[in-house]
Amino acid sequence: MLTVDFSRFPLAPGDRVLDLGCGAGRHAFECYRRGARVVALDRNTEEIREVAKWFAAMEEAGEAPAGATATAMEGDALALPFPDESFDVVIISEVMEHIHDDKGVLAEMVRVLRPGGRIAVTVPRYGPEKVCWTLSDAYHEVEGGHIRIYKADQLLARIREAGLRPYGSHHAHALHSPYWWLKCAFGVDNDKALPVRAYHKLLVWDIMKKPLATRLAEQALNPLIGKSFVAYATKPHLPPVDAA
């Protein structure tokens, strides 16, 4: 299940991609399949081990084209272990809402992104997320949990302040909002509640089968209750230096 829309965020074979806070690796895997040279970075050791295993399995199965590379590594988003301008593309999906120093993370992403490079940022959308916070303290008051809710204009202002130029945005995963509302209403750790189990079964079916009916429904509902807000931006080229 991808949050970044690669039709709006073009990726070319050979692009150097950083998936920052990669989690289980869903975007890193897609970039690898598209022929990129991918680095998946996260602070969670166990998740990085799993991502590395999947990269190896994908290589063995021939799922990535010739020239594509993939590396999984542990690291700190506030002190990225890469030189300036190391990447053509940076993706940070559902991460910034967890980090106190979001300005510092954006500054690090800008530092390692080459001029003309592209960045995709996704966060939980304000409205659906506010419902979750209202229904359940346990949803966000956990170690490593969500510490803020972004409004779209706030996130875009952060992106501009970091020196990036936003060029597009949209909402995603409308069908997932009701699932999380149910989870929050019945208890975030209560997977046995019938409404939660039934809706989860629906989501799994939708992800696996991708039926046209639910694709059209989600497309129609995304502007209203899309669970994620997605923003795309570029790093501008520096103006030429006047020799005089």
Side-chain angles (χ1 to χ4, degrees), residues 3 10 20 63 69 73 116 125 133 151 160 179 187 196 201:
T3 307
L20 181 56
E63 290 189 34
T69 62
M73 62 184 295
R125 184 184 186 176
W133 282 46
K151 291 184 178 179
R160 291 189 183 96
Y179 172 71
V196 174
K201 189 174 181 180

Side-chain angles (χ1 to χ4, degrees), residues 32-132:
Y32 187 34
R33 290 188 187 98
R34 289 171 177 260
R37 294 175 285 165
V38 183
V39 175
L41 183 143
D42 202 283
R43 64 183 300 179
N44 186 306
T45 303
E46 291 303 316
E47 286 197 310
I48 284 298
R49 285 175 181 164
E50 286 300 310
V51 170
K53 289 178 183 177
W54 278 105
F55 277 151
M58 290 172 68
E59 181 180 14
E60 185 176 349
E63 290 189 34
T69 62
T71 303
M73 62 184 295
E74 194 173 346
D76 182 354
L78 290 165
L80 294 174
F82 310 111
D84 296 356
E85 302 179 8
S86 297
F87 296 95
D88 303 297
V89 172
V90 178
I91 296 171
I92 184 166
S93 182
E94 312 299 302
V95 173
M96 286 181 55
E97 68 276 10
H98 296 271
I99 300 177
H100 287 276
D101 187 5
D102 58 346
K103 291 184 179 181
V105 172
L106 277 168
E108 273 293 88
M109 289 190 289
V110 171
R111 180 184 68 79
V112 302
L113 185 66
R114 69 163 176 82
R118 303 173 305 285
I119 186 169
V121 182
T122 93
V123 297
R125 184 184 186 176
Y126 183 85
E129 184 76 349
K130 189 69 174 178
V131 173
C132 290

Side-chain angles (χ1 to χ4, degrees), residues 7 16 48 66 70 86 102 104 124 129 147 150 160 165 167 177 179 190 203 226 229 232:
S7 69
R16 301 163 297 170
I48 284 298
S86 297
D102 58 346
E129 184 76 349
I147 61 171
Y150 289 100
R160 291 189 183 96
R165 292 179 181 168
Y167 69 83
S177 290
Y179 172 71
N190 180 11
L203 289 179
F229 174 70
Y232 305 108

Side-chain angles (χ1 to χ4, degrees), residues 161-181:
E161 288 166 6
L164 298 165
R165 292 179 181 168
Y167 69 83
S169 64
H170 62 91
H171 300 98
H173 309 317
L175 296 182
H176 288 248
S177 290
Y179 172 71
W180 283 103
W181 297 338

